[in-house]
Amino acid sequence: MGKIKKLCRNNWLLILIIAVISIFLIWMGTLKGGMHVDEVSSYLLSNSYYNIKLNRFDEWLPTSYLYDMVATQSNTAFEYGSVFYNQSQDVHPPLYYSIIHTLSSLFIGTYNKWIGLSVNLLSFIISAIVVYKIISIFTNNKIIGYITVIMFGLSISTIDNFVFIRMYFLLTAIQLLLLYVSLKYVEDNNHVKYLIITALTTIAGGLTQYYFYLYAVFVTICVAVILISLKKIKYAIYYSLTSLLSVFTAFYIFPSVFDHVKGSDRGEQVVGGLLGGLSEEKFKDYLDIINANTFAGYGKVIVFVLLFLLIIISILYIFNRKQVDFFKLEQFILILIPTCLSFFLISQVSPFQTSRYIFAITPMFILVVLILSQFVFTSLLKNEVLVSSVLMFLVGTIVMLGFTETDKIEYLYPEMSSNHQKIENLNLNKAVVITNKTFKTKSQINELIEFNQFKQIDFSGVSGLYNDDKLSKENEFVLFVEKDNDSESVENDILENTKFNNCKKLYTHPYFNIYFVS
C-alpha cells in the first residue's frame, strides 16, 4: 500500500492529466448518438447465444428476440463457448468479444453504449500510461512525457477510437505494450519478465485483431536485427522463439483463424490486397487520414521542419561545431520501422480506406514526432525548460487546431439521436423491415427494440403484407425499406394494396429509408 501511495505521489500530475482526458472522453461518449452496424455487431457477436444471423423471415417476432441477441440474460451469462462459436462464424478473434460478454454478464439485460465505451476507457488509460513510459525511455524530462500523453489523448484519432465500440482501442493498448516491453528488452536482455510480457501481449493481440500480426512481425524482425547487430544473438533467438511460440499458442486457442484466412470474405479481401499489386492511391488516402486526424492537417509541415533541422544538426555534428545530445537510435528504429511498414501494409490490404484500421498505430506516429522533436530542440537549444516550452506551445497549437476539425470524428453519429427519438415518440406496436441483406437489419436493432413486434421480409415477399392479419389490425406502423432498391415503389405498392393511405418519410439511414405509415 505504501508503494502505491509513493507511486501516486511521484506521478500525481500524470494521473491528473489522464483523469482529465478520461473525463473529456466520457463527455464525448455522452454525445454519441448512435452506432455503426459493426458496433451493434460487437454486442450481438458477444451476447447472442450461438447465433449471429438475423435470418428469420416472414414471421412476426417479439423485439425481445433482438434484445436477447445484444444483451445477456440469466441463462446466457458467462457463456464463453457461445462467444468462441460466434466468432468462428464471423471474421475476428474472440478476446474483445469475451470482454464485452463478461461486462454484459455482470449487468444482466443491459444493452447500451457504456458497456463498450468502458472497455475503450480502460484501454485508453493503459495506452496513456504506456505512451508515457515509452517517451521516458528517451528523455528524463517528465514535461515531455506529459505533453506526449496530452497530444495522444486529445487527438481526433484517439477521440474517434474511443467512441467507436470495436476492438481497436484494446488493440492500441496491446500494441503499445508490446512496443514498450520490446524496447525494454533491447535495452536490458537479462530480464525474463520482458519475454513473459511479450508472450502474453502477442497472444492477446492475436486474439484481438488479425492486423496485430502485421505489426508484431515487424517488431520481432527489428528486435532480432538490432540484437544481432549488437552481437547479442542468443537474446535475439530468445525473443524470436517467444514471439513464434506465442503466435502458435494464439492459433491453438482459436484455430478458426485458418478458416477466417481461407474461407471468409475478409480473408479473401486481405489476400487479394496482398496479391493485387501496390496501390499508391490507397497509401495516399491513409496518409491524408493520419495527417488530418492526428496532426490537424499539418503533418507534412511537421515532417519537413524536423527533417530540415535534422540536416542542420547533422552538419553541425560532422563539422564538430556543436555537440549533439545522445540519441537512442536502436530504440527509435524499433518504433519507426514497424510503424511505417505496418502502416504501408495495412493501407494495401484493408478492405476500406478508413481511420479504424490505423487507430492502433497512430500513437506510434505521435511518439516518433515527439521523440524527434525533443531530440532536435534539445540539440539546438540546450535548455530543458525552453525545449519543454516550445514543445508545449507546438502541441497545444496542434491540439487546438484539431478541435476545429471535430467533423472528422467519424463515429459519433449525433444525428442518430434525433432519429431514435422520433421512433421513441411514436410509441408504436409494430415495425416492418424490407431488405435482401440481413446484416443491414442489425444496423436498426437500436430502433427496432422500441417496438413490441417486428417482421423482416425480402423484396419478393412484399405482397405478403397485403393480407397480413396482424398488420391489418394496426392503425399505424413504421416501415424500414432498404435503400439499394426502389423504396418509393414499395411504399406505393403497400398504400395501393392495404388499408393504409399515408406514408411519411421520418428520416434516412445509410442503409434504409424509414417511413411512418398510417
Side-chain angles (χ1 to χ4, degrees):
M1 197 67 180
K3 287 183 178 180
I4 295 175
K5 285 184 178 180
K6 183 179 179 182
L7 187 65
C8 293
R9 189 164 56 246
N10 292 339
N11 295 281
W12 68 269
L13 188 51
L14 175 64
I15 294 170
L16 179 62
I17 289 169
I18 293 175
V20 170
I21 296 174
S22 297
I23 292 170
F24 169 76
L25 291 175
I26 291 170
W27 176 71
M28 292 300 298
T30 65
L31 302 180
K32 183 174 175 64
M35 295 185 191
H36 187 279
V37 62
D38 288 350
E39 296 179 274
V40 177
S41 292
S42 291
Y43 292 90
L44 188 147
L45 292 166
S46 301
N47 298 326
S48 182
Y49 191 65
Y50 288 94
N51 176 37
I52 67 170
K53 295 181 179 179
L54 291 169
N55 53 4
R56 295 178 68 173
F57 278 85
D58 300 316
E59 58 179 318
W60 286 102
L61 296 169
T63 52
S64 59
Y65 166 77
L66 297 175
Y67 204 86
D68 289 348
M69 295 185 81
V70 293
T72 56
Q73 307 306 317
S74 56
N75 61 334
T76 61
F78 301 107
E79 288 283 353
Y80 296 102
S82 173
V83 179
F84 273 63
Y85 170 80
N86 288 348
Q87 288 315 117
S88 71
Q89 303 301 301
D90 194 56
V91 295
H92 293 297
L95 179 59
Y96 172 77
Y97 301 92
S98 297
I99 296 171
I100 293 291
H101 180 68
T102 300
L103 289 176
S104 297
S105 298
L106 293 173
F107 300 95
I108 298 292
T110 301
Y111 169 59
N112 60 46
K113 61 187 175 184
W114 294 109
I115 288 176
L117 292 178
S118 64
V119 177
N120 288 352
L121 183 62
L122 180 60
S123 298
F124 162 72
I125 292 170
I126 294 170
S127 298
I129 293 170
V130 178
V131 163
Y132 180 81
K133 297 286 283 183
I134 291 173
I135 205 76
S136 298
I137 293 174
F138 293 86
T139 176
N140 293 323
N141 187 343
K142 286 189 173 184
I143 302 298
I144 305 298
Y146 302 149
I147 292 169
T148 308
V149 170
I150 290 170
M151 184 172 179
F152 164 63
L154 296 180
S155 71
I156 294 298
S157 179
T158 295
I159 297 169
D160 217 13
N161 196 358
F162 173 76
V163 298
F164 189 42
I165 304 174
R166 292 291 280 169
M167 73 293 290
Y168 296 102
F169 223 135
L170 177 62
L171 180 65
T172 302
I174 292 171
Q175 288 192 178
L176 280 167
L177 191 55
L178 176 67
L179 175 60
Y180 174 67
V181 295
S182 301
L183 289 166
K184 295 298 288 184
Y185 185 75
V186 167
E187 193 174 60
D188 184 358
N189 326 118
N190 291 320
H191 284 302
V192 178
K193 67 180 181 181
Y194 295 135
L195 291 177
I196 294 173
I197 300 173
T198 296
L200 293 175
T201 53
T202 301
I203 294 169
L207 292 174
T208 299
Q209 226 280 354
Y210 294 134
Y211 282 0
F212 170 82
Y213 291 123
L214 301 180
Y215 183 73
V217 164
F218 293 129
V219 169
T220 302
I221 292 171
C222 275
V223 169
V225 170
I226 289 169
L227 290 175
I228 290 170
S229 70
L230 296 173
K231 304 189 187 309
K232 297 181 177 181
I233 298 175
K234 177 176 69 173
Y235 297 109
I237 293 173
Y238 290 163
Y239 185 91
S240 301
L241 285 177
T242 298
S243 298
L244 188 61
L245 290 173
S246 301
V247 170
F248 288 152
T249 302
F251 287 177
Y252 177 77
I253 293 171
F254 189 65
S256 296
V257 59
F258 300 107
D259 296 327
H260 288 175
V261 172
K262 293 185 298 181
S264 71
D265 292 341
R266 192 58 50 85
E268 291 174 1
Q269 288 169 343
V270 170
V271 173
L274 286 171
L275 301 178
L278 302 180
S279 170
E280 183 181 352
E281 183 179 351
K282 288 182 179 180
F283 181 64
K284 286 182 177 179
D285 286 343
Y286 272 107
L287 284 177
D288 290 340
I289 290 171
I290 204 160
N291 180 39
N293 293 3
T294 307
F295 301 106
Y298 290 89
K300 293 178 182 178
V301 175
I302 292 169
V303 171
F304 175 80
V305 170
L306 285 176
L307 289 176
F308 176 74
L309 293 176
L310 281 171
I311 291 171
I312 291 177
I313 292 170
S314 300
I315 293 171
L316 292 173
Y317 177 75
I318 292 170
F319 290 96
N320 201 24
R321 294 179 182 175
K322 200 167 188 176
Q323 185 180 357
V324 178
D325 290 329
F326 177 76
F327 185 66
K328 295 185 177 182
L329 182 60
E330 290 87 2
Q331 283 92 334
F332 180 74
I333 288 172
L334 183 50
I335 299 176
L336 179 65
I337 299 301
T339 301
C340 292
L341 290 178
S342 58
F343 175 83
F344 176 76
L345 201 53
I346 289 170
S347 74
Q348 301 303 303
V349 304
S350 60
F352 316 106
Q353 285 65 62
T354 180
S355 57
R356 71 171 81 175
Y357 297 120
I358 55 172
F359 278 155
I361 55 175
T362 295
M364 286 70 164
F365 282 109
I366 293 173
L367 284 164
V368 166
V369 167
L370 266 296
I371 291 167
L372 275 181
S373 299
Q374 184 270 337
F375 167 71
V376 164
F377 289 118
T378 299
S379 300
L380 294 174
L381 301 176
K382 297 294 185 181
N383 184 300
E384 191 174 273
V385 174
L386 190 55
V387 170
S388 299
S389 300
V390 170
L391 288 180
M392 198 178 301
F393 171 76
L394 292 176
V395 168
T397 302
I398 291 171
V399 168
M400 293 304 295
L401 289 170
F403 281 122
T404 65
E405 303 287 340
T406 52
D407 60 305
K408 290 186 171 63
I409 302 176
E410 187 176 351
Y411 300 108
L412 268 182
Y413 303 116
E415 75 285 351
M416 286 190 184
S417 180
S418 60
N419 293 341
H420 186 87
Q421 193 62 51
K422 290 177 183 177
I423 296 293
E424 256 189 346
N425 291 342
L426 288 173
N427 193 27
L428 294 182
N429 186 39
K430 287 183 170 57
V432 174
V433 180
I434 304 176
T435 180
N436 289 330
K437 298 175 182 177
T438 57
F439 83 90
K440 293 185 176 181
T441 304
K442 296 177 186 177
S443 70
Q444 302 304 306
I445 284 180
N446 291 356
E447 283 65 48
L448 289 173
I449 58 179
E450 296 297 332
F451 299 90
N452 292 323
Q453 290 184 311
F454 82 103
K455 185 175 187 177
Q456 183 178 231
I457 61 174
D458 59 27
F459 280 86
S460 64
V462 172
S463 59
L465 295 176
Y466 302 162
N467 299 305
D468 188 288
D469 291 337
K470 289 190 175 182
L471 195 62
S472 65
K473 295 176 182 178
E474 301 295 323
N475 293 319
E476 304 162 327
F477 72 97
V478 172
L479 178 67
F480 296 77
V481 185
E482 183 186 333
K483 270 180 158 182
D484 290 352
N485 290 270
D486 188 355
S487 59
E488 289 190 6
S489 173
V490 171
E491 166 204 332
N492 292 332
D493 288 345
I494 291 173
L495 292 181
E496 288 176 5
N497 293 281
T498 66
K499 70 173 188 177
F500 302 102
N501 50 36
N502 288 306
C503 191
K504 176 186 176 183
K505 183 180 284 189
L506 291 173
Y507 59 90
T508 61
H509 178 274
Y511 293 152
F512 289 92
N513 287 317
I514 293 87
Y515 301 94
F516 170 63
V517 183
S518 60

